[in-house]
């Protein structure tokens, strides 16, 4: 049984199935995504708009529900994750053909509504949605009150995304074993590294 740095048992969630290919509209600076709003009857859902700041780094494209400053801070943390993973694996980062897509919601409700639109179900924790086209793959997150739980989930799922960008079908024991290993890392804001 694998445990995280707090001694909690790691749960084994089933991997999100590959989603059928569908075109995804892109926007240059911000993105508006329809949000499903549950109704009291099983009628068709209505949609409201969720606006994301869109920022880029060397390896990531981030859609962030929040301010541009928050988005810039978070994308720096993603780059620190990337450096951490590659400090062990030594992939040729120049071979990454597209920026890895990450979407951060402010609330679990927004996260759940988005997942209902994409995979027709929700999850209790972060999700990496994998397509055969790397440009469509997406790591979907939400703000959590528990900073350590948020950090563990980020390190775990961002590693799965990173690994699958270079290894199309890694063995599950390697993927989950290394993801659990990286969860033990601690982030230094001063140094912007793990």
């Amino acid at each position: 049984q694998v445990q995280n740095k707090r001694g909690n048992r790691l749960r084994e969630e089933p991997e999100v199935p590959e989603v059928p290919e569908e075109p995804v509209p892109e926007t240059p600076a911000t993105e508006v995504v329809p949000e499903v709003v549950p109704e009291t009857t099983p009628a068709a859902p209505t949609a409201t708009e969720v606006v994301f700041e869109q920022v880029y780094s060397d390896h990531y494209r981030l859609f962030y529900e929040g301010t541009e400053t928050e988005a810039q801070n978070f994308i720096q943390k993603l780059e620190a994750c990337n450096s951490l993973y590659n400090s062990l694996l030594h992939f040729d980062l120049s071979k990454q053909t597209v920026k890895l897509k990450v979407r951060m919601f402010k609330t679990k409700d927004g996260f759940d509504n988005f997942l209902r639109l994409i995979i027709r179900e929700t999850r209790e924790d972060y999700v990496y949605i994998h397509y055969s086209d790397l440009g469509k793959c997406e790591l979907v997150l939400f703000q959590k009150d528990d900073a350590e739980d948020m950090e563990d989930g980020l390190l775990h799922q961002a590693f799965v995304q990173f690994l699958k960008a270079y290894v199309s079908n890694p063995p599950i024991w390697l993927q989950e074993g290394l993801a659990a290993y990286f969860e033990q890392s601690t982030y230094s804001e001063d140094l912007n590294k793990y």
Side-chain angles (χ1 to χ4, degrees):
Q1 186 75 338
V2 180
Q3 296 181 336
N4 68 10
K5 61 187 167 197
R6 293 187 306 271
N8 298 329
R9 287 187 339 205
L10 295 175
R11 62 188 167 279
E12 293 184 20
E13 288 190 29
E15 195 167 321
V16 174
E18 211 168 285
V19 184
E21 301 290 334
E22 294 178 13
V24 178
E26 306 275 338
T27 57
T30 61
E31 181 183 55
V32 177
V33 173
E35 178 179 9
V36 175
V37 179
E39 297 183 293
T40 55
T41 63
T46 60
T48 59
E49 293 181 346
V50 178
V51 178
F52 291 90
E53 287 295 327
Q54 188 173 184
V55 294
Y56 297 87
S57 65
D58 290 341
H59 304 103
Y60 291 91
R61 179 174 64 163
L62 173 64
F63 296 87
Y64 193 93
E65 187 180 7
T67 67
E68 185 175 353
T69 301
E70 292 169 330
Q72 290 293 345
N73 291 339
F74 192 75
I75 205 165
Q76 288 178 2
K77 187 177 251 191
L78 289 169
E79 284 294 337
C81 288
N82 191 289
S83 295
L84 171 68
Y85 307 145
N86 212 42
S87 69
L88 180 66
L89 298 175
H90 304 286
F91 290 133
D92 181 355
L93 298 180
S94 68
K95 294 191 184 220
Q96 184 178 320
T97 57
V98 297
K99 293 182 185 294
L100 303 177
K101 186 176 179 182
V102 178
R103 184 177 307 271
M104 172 64 90
F105 286 89
K106 271 190 176 187
T107 66
K108 175 76 163 67
D109 287 341
F111 170 87
D112 287 342
N113 289 331
F114 182 75
L115 289 184
R116 282 187 198 102
L117 286 172
I118 303 301
I119 63 172
R120 305 209 182 346
E121 63 184 53
T122 64
R123 296 294 171 95
E124 287 305 309
D125 210 347
Y126 301 155
V127 175
Y128 172 63
I129 302 171
H130 188 74
Y131 296 91
S132 55
D133 177 355
L134 186 59
K136 294 180 181 179
C137 297
E138 183 169 17
L139 175 58
V140 186
L141 315 165
F142 62 93
Q143 295 286 340
K144 293 183 178 181
D145 293 332
D146 182 339
E148 281 188 57
D149 187 36
M150 186 170 170
E151 195 75 18
D152 290 349
L154 172 64
L155 285 164
H156 189 106
Q157 292 300 328
F159 174 73
V160 172
Q161 180 183 40
F162 174 84
L163 182 63
K164 287 192 170 193
Y166 295 95
V167 181
S168 61
N169 194 17
I172 194 74
W173 63 266
L174 178 68
Q175 174 184 300
E176 292 303 311
L178 286 175
Y181 170 77
F182 285 121
E183 282 183 31
Q184 309 306 306
S185 304
T186 304
Y187 182 69
S188 166
E189 282 190 44
D190 296 338
L191 301 174
N192 188 37
K193 68 183 256 182
Y194 285 92

